[in-house]
């Protein structure tokens, strides 16, 4: 039983990261009906930019741990958000009136470009975060080992997701985003600047994805230029699992996928872990083609 | 036109004639090495080592009373270039060939040498299939991949571990090593394999796997994959406050391992690897390394380059022992009569397939400073 709960917490920690990345997929899909395949690479940029800022500015040395990491998170969020906006401007906006397939191909191209640019800048070897930044305390709760950082990462993810949800549901700008998700033409007639809404979506999604990248770098220590592919795939799956276009769905899908993987590894087979996760996805899609929470896709965003 | 052609043929004849006339008082040994390409540093090391050894041997009177000349060809670390290099060497009157480094590159040259009965001795090539093809003139100073499996099983026995968990990553190298060790550990009496499965390389979070492993309560975890995953496993194992020792294969021999895991988490990690050049323990090797340092002002790049030096010395011993430069006779001598030749990397004998007998692998452990320290077991 103890092992079960340990695996549950393991799964939630991984799932929190998936969920944070999945939000970017789901928001872009909600508004543009486009799968942004370059989103996983923006996640990787978050990890690399974080490492560069951390080592070149020595933030944690100057400002102390808590403030240093906070400043770092804000800087990475800002930079990756700008990157997301550039991506939208360069790769997606020129194709907005084209058939949907063109934009998907453009997304794949952008992904390959971003990945190779990173390799040319930083080299193909693994990059390693310094290992003395984060406190390494481990809590021991009823025999469960909970590294403090994992708890903080899950808490931070949930907080950010909740903030995003409230922003979309309770503010005027959020209402504009929801309106654009339902019908861009009608939203435009109501005086909503749809281009700005789309830009905003491409600022917020990458900001969250970049933060997830930074978290992975800080906590796991090791990053490389291709890691966005695996995480992107998983997060995309999580978005579909929860119901793509649906923000609470992305959260639920991410956490659930992490837990399914952990329990699948524990009780069935480690080597089949990913296969089990995808099998569950297929089964759910057969029963509920819109995903778990995907009933009224458009107005939930 | 015809006359010009005749003159050309005559000139060529003179050159070839001259070469054979010269060959009478020298013995030519070929060296095939990756002097360019991504393995160039290994190839350059091989060339420096073999040239220094040839110099020293000539100072002692060469072989069969003749001077040794080393003829070097670049294989570029590429199978296609290697077959061309091999063909060029076979036309230059060499009596034996040392090299080369990569298994696939060696494989591209094997048949070419065997056809003209030239003995070849490879140095970095560990793939099992190279000696399973039955070439009579092929030898290697490098260990075979399956020897590492045997070494892993033996090391676990020597360190006194009873319950073993084996984890691989489904690559053909790691799976092969894990299967080999698994079979040996299962059949040996004192040990029990409590876990055998594969992880997916390229992920970041292995806590689910570690939690499951911990549940089987092993004395040691044998991880046969590569250093990036090994580093993460150790880091996350430490976060779980789990103190089980880890043993890795030679794919974990990389300085980045310690960076990824962090010094504290990497401390105590055992791994198998052929010895680093500085850890070669024969007096012969120490003297040679000093000479090398004096001549080139650096240490050889790796053990694999040192094994080319051993290949060269074995070939010289083979020619001297067979009292002939005939390929068949040299090969026969190396197969049957050469026993425990004192190589730089330890005693060298060959079995019927041309594989090296005895152990080349050593056990290393990471110390508190993150250094790789040779273990005496």
């Amino acid at each position: 039983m103890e092992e079960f709960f340990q695996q549950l917490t393991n799964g939630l920690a991984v799932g929190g990261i998936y969920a944070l990345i999945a939000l970017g997929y789901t928001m872009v899909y909600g508004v543009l009906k486009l799968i942004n395949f370059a989103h996983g690479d923006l996640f990787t940029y978050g990890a690399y930019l974080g490492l560069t800022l951390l080592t070149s500015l020595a933030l944690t040395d100057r400002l102390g741990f808590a403030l240093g990491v906070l400043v770092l998170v804000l800087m990475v969020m800002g930079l990756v958000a700008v990157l997301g906006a550039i991506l939208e401007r360069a790769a997606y906006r020129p194709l907005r009136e084209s058939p949907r397939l063109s934009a998907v191909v453009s997304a794949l191209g952008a992904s390959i470009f971003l990945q190779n640019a990173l390799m040319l800048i930083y080299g193909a070897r693994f990059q390693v975060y310094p290992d003395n930044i984060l406190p390494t305390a481990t809590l021991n709760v009823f025999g469960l080992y909970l590294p403090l950082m994992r708890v903080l990462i899950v808490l931070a993810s949930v907080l950010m997701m909740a903030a995003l949800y409230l922003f979309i549901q309770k503010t005027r700008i959020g209402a504009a985003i929801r309106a654009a998700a339902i019908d861009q033409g009608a939203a435009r007639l109501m005086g909503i600047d749809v281009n700005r809404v789309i830009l905003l979506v491409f600022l917020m999604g990458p900001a969250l994805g970049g933060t997830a990248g930074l978290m992975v770098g800080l906590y796991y220590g090791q990053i490389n230029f291709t890691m966005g592919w695996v995480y992107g795939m998983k997060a995309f799956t999580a978005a579909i699992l929860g119901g793509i276009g649906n923000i609470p769905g992305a959260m639920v899908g991410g956490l659930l996928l992490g837990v399914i993987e952990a329990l699948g590894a524990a009780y069935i087979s480690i080597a089949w872990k990913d296969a089990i996760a995808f099998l569950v996805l297929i089964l759910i899609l057969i029963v509920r083609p819109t995903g778990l929470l995907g009933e009224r896709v458009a107005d939930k965003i | 036109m015809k006359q010009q052609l005749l003159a050309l043929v005559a000139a060529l004849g003179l050159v070839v004639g001259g070469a054979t006339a010269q060959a009478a008082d020298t013995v030519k040994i070929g060296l095939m090495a990756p002097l360019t390409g991504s393995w160039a540093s290994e190839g350059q090391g091989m060339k420096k080592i073999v040239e220094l050894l040839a110099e020293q041997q000539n100072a002692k009177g060469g072989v069969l009373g003749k001077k040794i000349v080393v003829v070097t060809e670049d294989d570029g670390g590429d199978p296609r270039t290697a077959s061309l290099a091999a063909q060029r060497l076979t036309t230059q009157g060499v009596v034996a060939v040392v090299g080369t480094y990569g298994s696939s590159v060696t494989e591209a040259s094997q048949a070419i040498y065997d056809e003209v009965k030239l003995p070849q001795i490879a140095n970095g090539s560990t793939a099992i299939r190279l000696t399973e093809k039955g070439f009579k003139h092929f030898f290697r100073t490098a260990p075979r991949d399956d020897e590492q499996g045997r070494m892993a099983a033996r090391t676990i026995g020597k360190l006194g571990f009873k319950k073993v968990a084996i984890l691989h990553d489904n690559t053909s190298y790691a799976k092969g090593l894990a299967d080999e060790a698994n079979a040996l550990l299962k059949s040996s009496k004192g040990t029990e394999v409590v876990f055998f499965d594969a992880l997916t390389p390229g992920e970041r979070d292995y806590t689910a796997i570690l939690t499951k492993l911990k549940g089987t309560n092993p004395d040691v975890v044998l991880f046969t994959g590569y250093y990036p995953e090994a580093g993460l496993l150790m880091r996350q194992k430490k976060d779980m406050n789990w103190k089980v020792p880890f043993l890795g294969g030679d794919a974990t021999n990389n300085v980045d391992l310690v960076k990824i895991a962090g010094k504290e988490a990497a401390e105590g990690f055992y791994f198998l690897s052929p010895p680093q050049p500085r850890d070669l323990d024969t007096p012969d090797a120490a003297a040679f390394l000093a000479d090398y340092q004096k001549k080139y002002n650096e240490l050889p790049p790796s053990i694999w380059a040192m094994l080319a030096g051993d290949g060269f010395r074995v070939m010289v011993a083979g020619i001297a022992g067979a009292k002939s430069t005939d390929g068949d006779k040299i090969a026969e001598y190396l197969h049957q009569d050469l026993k425990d030749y004192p190589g730089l990397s330890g005693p060298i004998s060959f079995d019927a397939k041309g594989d090296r007998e005895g152990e080349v692998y050593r056990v290393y452990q990471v110390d508190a400073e993150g250094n790789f320290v040779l273990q005496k077991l």
Side-chain angles (χ1 to χ4, degrees):
Chain A
M1 208 55 200
E2 204 172 289
E3 192 184 324
F4 175 80
F5 283 112
Q6 182 71 56
Q7 291 291 14
L8 206 61
T9 60
N10 293 341
L12 286 175
V14 182
I17 304 255
Y18 290 164
L20 214 47
I21 310 170
L23 289 173
Y25 282 104
T26 229
M27 284 172 72
V28 169
Y29 185 85
V31 175
L32 280 180
K33 302 286 175 286
L34 163 76
I35 305 293
N36 177 16
F37 280 110
H39 188 62
D41 298 293
L42 294 177
F43 156 85
T44 317
Y45 273 77
Y48 273 85
L49 286 170
L51 176 61
T52 306
L53 291 172
L54 191 68
T55 48
S56 59
L57 302 181
L59 285 172
T60 46
D61 293 346
R62 287 191 204 165
L63 303 173
F65 162 70
L67 192 60
V69 169
L70 190 68
V71 172
L72 187 66
V73 168
L74 292 176
M75 288 173 87
V76 168
M77 274 182 127
L79 285 173
V80 181
V82 169
L83 209 57
I86 294 173
L87 178 73
E88 194 269 333
R89 211 46 187 267
Y92 301 141
R93 190 175 293 187
L95 295 169
R96 197 160 312 145
E97 305 306 323
S98 317
R100 184 112 31 105
L101 191 60
S102 314
V104 171
V105 173
S106 180
L108 285 171
S111 164
I112 293 167
F113 173 81
L114 286 172
Q115 207 173 91
N116 283 285
L118 208 55
M119 187 193 73
L120 291 174
I121 297 167
Y122 288 93
R125 287 179 68 184
F126 284 89
Q127 301 282 318
V128 182
Y129 271 65
D131 67 340
N132 51 1
I133 305 167
L134 300 182
T136 52
T138 296
L139 313 174
N140 188 345
V141 189
F142 305 118
L144 294 183
Y145 289 105
L146 301 174
L148 183 62
M149 280 321 295
R150 292 186 81 138
V151 179
L152 289 180
I153 283 174
V154 175
L155 281 181
S157 310
V158 171
L159 268 179
M160 275 192 274
M161 288 185 273
L164 178 72
Y165 182 71
L166 290 176
F167 177 78
I168 301 271
Q169 293 298 332
K170 304 287 179 200
T171 63
R172 277 173 66 90
I173 307 173
I177 295 177
R178 278 181 288 145
I182 297 170
D183 187 331
Q184 289 188 15
R188 213 171 271 127
L189 289 177
M190 294 295 131
I192 293 170
D193 186 343
V194 173
N195 269 340
R196 283 181 64 180
V197 165
I198 290 170
L199 186 65
L200 193 64
V201 163
F202 269 97
L203 287 170
M204 291 194 303
L208 294 175
T211 314
L214 177 63
M215 284 176 175
V216 164
L218 278 173
Y219 181 60
Y220 297 111
Q222 172 222 66
I223 58 177
N224 79 326
F225 70 102
T226 56
M227 73 175 187
W229 171 247
V230 176
Y231 274 96
M233 240 0 239
K234 295 282 173 67
F236 174 55
T237 310
I240 299 208
L241 189 63
I244 191 150
N246 180 311
I247 286 177
M251 295 189 229
V252 171
L255 294 173
L256 198 62
L257 186 68
V259 170
I260 292 171
E261 277 187 7
L263 294 182
Y267 297 106
I268 304 173
S269 161
I270 288 170
W272 284 77
K273 182 181 66 129
D274 291 356
I276 294 159
F278 284 104
L279 194 69
V280 171
L281 174 74
I282 292 169
L283 289 178
I284 286 180
L285 288 183
I286 290 171
V287 184
R288 278 184 72 90
T290 50
L292 284 176
L293 304 187
E295 218 158 356
R296 290 177 301 151
V297 171
D299 18 69
K300 279 275 175 69
I301 186 90
Chain B
M1 189 64 197
K2 226 175 206 172
Q3 272 174 339
Q4 273 176 331
L5 211 65
L6 273 174
L8 194 69
V9 170
L12 269 176
L14 273 176
V15 171
V16 173
T20 35
Q22 213 182 22
D25 50 322
T26 58
V27 172
K28 287 187 183 176
I29 294 182
L31 170 68
M32 190 167 75
L35 298 176
T36 56
S38 53
W39 298 329
S41 79
E42 295 286 352
Q44 303 286 353
M46 288 161 64
K47 183 166 185 278
K48 284 177 182 171
I49 287 170
V50 169
E51 280 176 354
L52 176 55
L53 282 170
E55 216 172 86
Q56 292 177 344
Q57 186 65 32
N58 283 334
K60 284 189 267 176
V63 66
L64 303 179
K66 293 173 191 169
K67 242 182 85 186
I68 299 171
V69 175
V70 177
V71 182
T72 309
E73 282 287 345
D74 179 16
D75 63 44
D78 168 60
R80 278 162 301 180
T81 319
S83 58
L84 292 176
Q87 272 155 4
R88 270 203 302 278
L89 274 179
T90 55
T91 60
Q92 287 175 325
V94 300
V95 299
V97 176
V98 178
T100 185
Y101 175 70
S103 291
S104 55
V105 186
T106 297
E107 192 161 25
S109 66
Q110 278 183 304
I112 297 167
Y113 293 128
D114 197 69
E115 202 171 312
V116 294
K117 300 185 191 329
L118 262 182
Q120 176 190 12
I121 186 157
N123 49 298
S125 318
T126 59
I128 295 171
R129 62 177 181 278
L130 294 177
T131 44
E132 295 294 329
K133 295 189 229 172
F135 288 127
K136 282 200 173 51
H137 300 84
F138 182 78
F139 301 86
R140 61 174 147 195
T141 47
R144 261 164 62 133
D145 283 339
D146 52 354
E147 193 204 314
Q148 198 180 169
R150 287 196 290 278
M151 188 64 187
R154 208 174 308 135
T155 304
I156 285 166
K158 277 184 190 163
L159 290 170
F161 297 124
K162 304 273 179 265
K163 290 164 78 179
V164 186
I166 300 176
L167 187 63
H168 62 93
D169 67 6
N170 264 331
T171 58
S172 55
Y173 157 78
K175 177 92 174 18
L177 180 51
D179 282 340
E180 187 76 23
N182 187 26
L184 289 166
L185 286 168
K186 271 187 171 163
S187 63
S188 75
K189 266 192 183 154
T191 51
E192 179 194 358
V193 177
V194 294
F195 179 93
F196 186 91
D197 209 339
L199 55 74
T200 315
E203 293 190 355
R204 293 293 172 285
D205 196 301
Y206 292 114
T207 46
I209 293 163
L210 285 166
T211 305
K212 189 176 181 189
L213 270 171
K214 195 181 175 191
T216 63
N217 204 14
D219 297 333
V220 65
V221 176
L222 172 64
F223 176 64
T224 62
Y226 292 78
Y227 69 92
E229 285 76 32
L232 284 172
L233 283 168
M234 281 189 284
R235 190 180 174 123
Q236 289 164 25
K237 168 178 82 96
K238 184 179 151 281
D239 281 346
M240 290 170 58
N241 282 339
W242 187 28
K243 298 202 167 50
V244 71
F246 263 60
L247 170 67
D250 63 7
T252 55
N253 182 358
N254 189 306
V255 285
D256 281 352
L257 174 91
V258 179
K259 276 201 234 158
I260 293 166
K263 278 180 193 164
E264 222 180 308
E267 187 186 352
F269 176 65
Y270 292 104
F271 67 86
L272 303 171
S273 172
Q276 329 252 21
R278 64 180 157 79
D279 292 327
L280 292 172
D281 41 15
T282 61
D284 226 13
F288 176 74
L289 285 176
D291 291 345
Y292 187 95
Q293 177 96 36
K294 205 168 118 198
K295 181 164 170 143
Y296 300 114
N297 214 4
E298 62 180 14
L299 274 177
S302 75
I303 184 65
W304 308 111
M306 292 292 285
L307 289 175
D310 269 348
F312 175 80
R313 294 188 5 151
V314 162
M315 276 304 178
V316 172
I319 295 165
K323 297 190 182 60
S324 161
T325 55
D326 180 71
D328 281 334
K329 284 183 184 158
I330 298 173
E332 202 184 299
Y333 180 86
L334 291 182
H335 273 301
Q336 284 164 13
D337 302 317
L338 188 96
K339 287 288 167 252
D340 290 332
Y341 175 82
L344 298 171
S345 59
I348 300 174
S349 322
F350 295 101
D351 63 13
K353 289 174 182 167
D355 276 320
R356 185 169 172 176
E357 289 176 337
E359 287 170 13
V360 179
Y361 279 100
R362 304 282 198 279
V363 181
Y364 280 84
Q365 191 175 25
V366 181
D367 71 5
E369 293 302 305
N371 299 315
F372 297 162
V373 183
L374 182 68
Q375 301 295 299
K376 299 252 180 282
L377 284 178

